[in-house]
Amino acid sequence: MRMKELLKQLEQLLNEKDLDLLKIQELKTEILKNHIKGLKIENYIGDYPTFMEPVILGDSVKIGDDVLIGPKVYIGTDSVIEDYAEISNSIIFDNVKIGKNFKLDSCIIINNSKLNFDNFSSKNCILKGIAESEEELEIIRER
Amino acid sequence: MSEKRKKDIQRIKELESINLATDDIRDLVVQTKMKVAKDNEQLARQNNEELKEHNIKSVDIVGAIGAGKTALIEKIVEILSEKYRILVICGDITTRVDADRIQAHNAESIQINTGRECALNAYHIHKIIENKDLDDYDLLFIENVGNLICPSEFTLGTDTRITVVSTTEGEWVIEKHPMLFKMSQVAVINKIDLAERLGTNVQKMLKDAKEINPNIKVITTSAKTGKNIDKLIDILEL
Ligand SMILES: Nc1nc2c(ncn2[C@@H]2O[C@H](COP(=O)(O)OP(=O)(O)OP(=O)(O)O)[C@@H](O)[C@H]2O)c(=O)[nH]1
Ligand SMILES: [Mg+2]
């Protein structure tokens, strides 16, 4: 599937030492605009959050209460989205965890990131790392 | 609904949200929830301005579960899809069934699954239109979650709101649920093809709607036979 391929490419770009932000942004936009379609939300674990399509979820994504997801969101396998999150125009890779009350628009979270704190809000960002507080988090701002 | 009852409901909702939240973000959650209610009206106005700026006509359809909201939109879209580029937003608790039905009639459809929320709100619509190129459309339909109560708390910012009931719900349905009729411009009594067989007193329904809101335009339709769909389109000035 083309979407999977492009996500792989994006993941590779994100794992390079010097990030090519322009290329990353282009690819993100391309994926969200042309490859995330419809609602694929069959296998999440959670209590009826709100989805605005297009939204695609990998297997076993855990979603808390009062969460608003979409439009244009991809969330990878085994990721955990805690209560009161609001996520749009974003790509969250596999095995990510975010805390309560995260508001993200146009963001990417790199795989295996664990953001173990609550109340965070950002636009146009790339997030990465294992962080117990906002200060510990690696935030890369896109233009 | 009386002011007191409204306040009670609001209070219950606040208490519920307090219980859900853990200590550290309890205040934040309560504050956010109150803000959302207040902001809805403002956001709805903003939605309407934005749609108008792009010359998009907009209609939202509320009504009981199974009254025929989707069936009516299907019929209307069938007739209007040559003339307008149409976007339909479908609200449901879960599933993409309604959006799929609409899509079969040459209109683009977007599904919103509201989950635990029993109505769409202006913020949902704001998020959708903010992410769409509005120059691509001339006409927006929004089908709300099937419910005759919740949607009265939230306007969405459309030009016209239609409340749909059907003859299968019995002739008391309008009298018992005045709120939505008070805030709608058009009332549709659908499934008129079944009225005779069911013995529903349609005259009473027509009279009730007018009594609740003297300015409301009332029409009987059948989304099955197509009866009066053309008249409904006329009323909507489409
Ligand atoms: N006889 C008859 N059946 C109708 C009419 N309009 C809708 N139906 C049927 O009623 C059922 C419900 O119609 P829908 O269009 O799904 O109703 P809805 O209001 O969109 O329902 P929800 O979205 O679930 O709240 C379907 O089986 C329709 O075929 C009508 O005018 N006459
Ligand atoms: Mg429907």
Side-chain angles (χ1 to χ4, degrees), chain A residues 1-4 7 34-45 49 51-61 63 69-70 72-77, chain B residues 95-96 100 103 111 113:
Chain A
M1 202 165 110
R2 185 84 180 121
M3 179 192 75
K4 284 261 149 79
L7 283 168
N34 298 324
H35 299 274
I36 305 288
K37 300 254 165 196
L39 272 180
K40 293 213 173 54
I41 54 173
E42 298 82 21
N43 295 316
Y44 76 90
I45 303 160
F51 294 111
M52 293 186 268
E53 75 174 5
V55 175
I56 296 192
L57 303 182
D59 284 339
S60 309
V61 171
I63 302 175
I69 296 180
K72 296 188 196 160
V73 170
Y74 173 87
I75 302 177
T77 304
Chain B
T95 78
R96 199 182 188 281
D100 286 339
Q103 214 150 291
Q111 184 73 51
N113 284 166

Side-chain angles (χ1 to χ4, degrees), chain B residues 17 25 91 95 119 163 170 177 209 219:
Chain B
S17 63
I25 56 171
T95 78
T163 299
H177 300 92
I219 185 169

Side-chain angles (χ1 to χ4, degrees), chain B residues 13-218:
Chain B
K13 281 192 187 154
E14 275 167 33
L15 287 173
E16 275 179 350
S17 63
I18 290 169
N19 286 337
L20 278 177
T22 52
D23 283 346
D24 46 333
I25 56 171
R26 183 170 298 165
D27 281 348
L28 191 86
V29 170
V30 175
Q31 272 169 25
T32 315
K33 291 229 153 156
M34 293 206 285
K35 202 161 155 280
V36 164
K38 219 189 280 156
D39 286 352
N40 191 74
E41 285 301 304
Q42 201 187 333
L43 210 47
R45 271 196 296 277
Q46 197 182 313
N47 287 344
N48 192 258
E49 277 167 27
E50 208 157 326
L51 292 167
K52 285 229 169 76
E53 250 168 53
H54 291 86
N55 295 316
I56 298 177
K57 298 179 186 190
S58 54
V59 178
D60 78 292
I61 303 187
V62 298
I65 297 173
K69 297 178 293 299
T70 311
L72 285 167
I73 296 176
E74 285 180 85
K75 281 279 180 225
I76 294 172
V77 161
E78 232 170 70
I79 296 171
L80 291 182
S81 67
E82 302 252 301
K83 185 170 166 195
Y84 297 110
R85 296 164 303 164
I86 307 173
L87 178 65
V88 183
I89 298 174
C90 300
D92 269 304
I93 302 291
T94 65
T95 78
R96 199 182 188 281
V97 173
D98 285 2
D100 286 339
R101 280 167 64 189
I102 304 283
Q103 214 150 291
H105 298 276
N106 282 328
E108 185 178 335
S109 61
I110 295 179
Q111 184 73 51
I112 299 179
N113 284 166
T114 56
R116 293 190 156 274
E117 290 174 48
C118 52
L120 293 173
N121 60 47
Y123 188 65
H124 294 135
I125 306 308
H126 163 76
K127 287 296 263 186
I128 298 292
I129 60 182
E130 164 185 80
N131 279 286
K132 279 277 161 195
D133 188 347
L134 294 183
D135 291 330
D136 290 346
Y137 309 98
D138 314 303
L139 179 58
L140 171 67
F141 276 101
I142 302 171
E143 177 185 344
N144 219 310
V145 179
N147 193 306
L148 267 177
I149 303 142
C150 300
S152 67
E153 294 197 26
F154 304 100
T155 54
L156 304 178
T158 54
D159 302 331
T160 309
R161 172 166 271 190
I162 306 178
T163 299
V164 182
V165 290
S166 73
T167 57
T168 59
E169 291 146 46
E171 58 257 34
W172 293 279
V173 65
I174 297 181
E175 186 184 358
K176 282 183 182 171
H177 300 92
M179 295 91 87
L180 278 169
F181 293 91
K182 275 189 187 146
M183 67 189 311
S184 299
Q185 289 72 43
V186 181
V188 172
I189 300 166
N190 189 38
K191 307 196 190 178
I192 196 69
D193 56 298
L194 299 175
E196 206 174 326
R197 214 176 327 156
L198 293 167
T200 314
N201 184 347
V202 177
Q203 288 310 316
K204 174 183 163 40
M205 297 172 88
L206 292 166
K207 189 170 130 280
D208 286 345
K210 277 286 181 194
E211 254 170 36
I212 290 163
N213 178 354
N215 295 322
I216 204 164
K217 293 173 184 151
V218 194

